[in-house]
Amino acid sequence: MTNTVDIQNEQLKKGSHSTYKELFTRWYEPLCNYAFSIVRDMDEAEDIVQKMFCKLWDNRENINIRTSVKSYLYRAVHTDCISRVQRVKTRAEQNQHYSNVMPQVVNNTSERVKHKELESSISNAIGQLPPQCKKVFEMSRMQHLSYSEIAQELGISNNTVENHISKALKLLRANLKDFLMALLLLNILLN
């Protein structure tokens, strides 16, 4: 003996428009009310139910309803509502995070400008170093090589590497002294 669930399931799989229309007519409004009880927005509730019915029709050939049609439809709407609530919650959390971070971003803009100016000044100062001194300094500070690795690669002694680094730092301090002092005073005045 075949029950109503099996008959509706088979008719739906075969593309019966009358069965689909019957399900839609019978369950649309109750499902909208159920969805509204979860999402608390009737437009959202109707959107969820309409999309669920579209998915039901689009996937009709693969859907196998084993419980009552009512249970199947309510479970599908419930799942979609919970997903929607989670997305809204996540979006709200992201917006809250953004509103908390935004003042910091505005404050950080001036910091970034100062940072860019400092980077530019440092780059210019490094560019003014003698060629061998510059090469040793960049290998140490930018490539993060040890003194012995630099010495081995360039065929010089560790003491020579140390002398180049010491000379580079001394020249950089001298070239950046005015800029760093101004930056320090500006920070003190702004804070």
Side-chain angles (χ1 to χ4, degrees), residues 79-165:
T79 301
D80 291 346
C81 286
I82 297 302
S83 294
R84 182 75 57 105
V85 167
Q86 285 292 34
R87 281 194 304 274
V88 168
K89 181 181 175 190
T90 301
R91 196 174 307 126
E93 289 170 354
Q94 289 170 343
N95 289 341
Q96 180 63 40
H97 174 72
Y98 179 74
S99 66
N100 289 340
V101 169
M102 196 56 195
Q104 295 170 356
V105 170
V106 170
N107 290 338
N108 285 340
T109 302
S110 65
E111 294 297 320
R112 279 197 300 267
V113 168
K114 288 186 247 178
H115 186 338
K116 288 285 184 195
E117 289 174 4
L118 178 60
E119 281 180 343
S120 177
S121 295
I122 290 172
S123 180
N124 289 338
I126 290 172
Q128 294 175 12
L129 294 174
Q132 185 72 0
C133 186
K134 177 182 173 185
K135 184 172 190 153
V136 169
F137 181 80
E138 287 176 339
M139 291 174 81
S140 171
R141 297 306 195 260
M142 283 134 191
Q143 296 174 17
H144 307 291
L145 298 177
S146 68
Y147 286 9
S148 59
E149 290 172 325
I150 296 168
Q152 185 178 6
E153 190 169 320
L154 296 178
I156 57 178
S157 71
N158 281 353
N159 284 341
T160 304
V161 171
E162 286 181 42
N163 289 338
H164 280 302
I165 296 293

Side-chain angles (χ1 to χ4, degrees), residues 59-95:
N59 299 320
R60 67 188 176 279
E61 295 171 356
N62 301 320
I63 291 175
N64 191 10
I65 301 173
R66 295 189 176 138
T67 59
S68 70
V69 173
K70 176 183 176 181
S71 294
Y72 178 85
L73 297 175
Y74 272 86
R75 189 172 347 110
V77 167
H78 179 81
T79 301
D80 291 346
C81 286
I82 297 302
S83 294
R84 182 75 57 105
V85 167
Q86 285 292 34
R87 281 194 304 274
V88 168
K89 181 181 175 190
T90 301
R91 196 174 307 126
E93 289 170 354
Q94 289 170 343
N95 289 341

Side-chain angles (χ1 to χ4, degrees), residues 32-45 81 85:
C32 286
N33 291 331
Y34 177 67
F36 175 77
S37 74
I38 298 171
V39 297
R40 297 290 182 208
D41 181 323
M42 189 49 89
D43 290 334
E44 288 285 324
C81 286
V85 167

Side-chain angles (χ1 to χ4, degrees), residues 42-55:
M42 189 49 89
D43 290 334
E44 288 285 324
E46 289 176 354
D47 186 48
I48 289 169
V49 173
Q50 288 168 6
K51 285 181 181 176
M52 185 277 305
F53 272 109
C54 287
K55 283 191 282 186

